Amino acid sequence: MKDCRCGMSFPYTDCCGPLIRGAIFADTAEDLMRSRYTATTQGNWDYLIQTTCADERPHKSPADFEKGDIEWLGLEILGTRQGERHDAAGEVTFVARYREAGEANELQETSKFIKENGRWMYSEKQSTVHAAPTPSRQPVKRSSAKVGRNAPCPCGSGKKYKKCCG
């Protein structure tokens, strides 16, 4: 199986695929950030619009995301602040590497996320694009596969994850 484009070492079908298909929702702000990056590499502009804050969504169209012929090369998460299951807001600082017109480039951003009706959403108004990446940080990697809400709980209880530890 092909690894997910978000930088995790998991197959797309077990990582960002269920989020992008709408089968599950992001557990954390970082999960949503990674799935939005993956959707960008696919040209899935509808997902980017659907995962934008409600007050910003009416002003978005697929044309806002189409930036020409860009080859996305990788995502590196530099850090997170809040954005866990129990939080109402969070931020993710990342570097996205890409090639445009044969030239390698980087985009560093601190993306802001808020919860709306229990779901993580991206807020472009609150996010900040940085001029250059911070070189001393190490990427954050998840140590195990993401557990789906209806999957058996990894604690071994025999219950569904959402009814147990989720």
Side-chain angles (χ1 to χ4, degrees):
M1 285 192 193
K2 188 175 180 184
D3 283 347
C4 191
R5 296 290 308 268
C6 76
M8 302 302 289
S9 298
F10 304 116
Y12 171 78
T13 55
D14 296 334
C15 195
C16 292
L19 295 169
I20 292 171
R21 284 192 321 272
I24 62 172
F25 301 117
D27 291 329
T28 65
E30 181 182 343
D31 290 342
L32 183 60
M33 176 62 243
R34 288 182 181 280
S35 68
R36 285 176 59 86
Y37 172 82
T38 299
T40 299
T41 68
Q42 300 170 338
N44 187 339
W45 315 132
D46 289 336
Y47 182 74
L48 298 180
I49 294 169
Q50 292 167 5
T51 57
T52 298
C53 292
D55 62 331
E56 298 173 34
R57 197 175 308 135
H59 311 289
K60 292 289 178 195
S61 74
D64 295 326
F65 300 102
E66 296 171 356
K67 304 293 185 208
D69 191 22
I70 294 177
E71 176 189 3
W72 293 97
L73 305 173
L75 175 69
E76 179 181 348
I77 303 295
L78 299 178
T80 60
R81 200 171 111 218
Q82 297 182 315
E84 297 299 321
R85 282 190 177 103
H86 61 278
D87 295 321
E91 63 182 46
V92 179
T93 302
F94 68 92
V95 173
R97 292 176 178 80
Y98 64 96
R99 186 178 342 271
E100 184 176 24
E103 186 176 318
N105 293 293
E106 291 183 342
L107 164 71
Q108 183 177 342
E109 181 177 319
T110 298
S111 293
K112 305 284 183 164
F113 297 88
I114 60 170
K115 275 194 177 168
E116 291 180 349
N117 300 318
R119 293 176 50 189
W120 285 107
M121 295 290 168
Y122 169 74
S123 175
E124 183 177 52
K125 288 180 186 175
Q126 298 178 38
S127 297
T128 309
V129 176
H130 307 283
T134 307
S136 61
R137 301 244 181 137
Q138 294 296 317
V140 177
K141 296 268 182 175
R142 184 179 287 139
S143 59
S144 60
K146 182 177 177 86
V147 179
R149 291 174 34 86
N150 290 317
C153 191
C155 76
S157 68
K159 296 179 182 177
K160 288 184 178 182
Y161 179 66
K162 67 182 177 185
K163 299 279 185 180
C164 190
C165 295

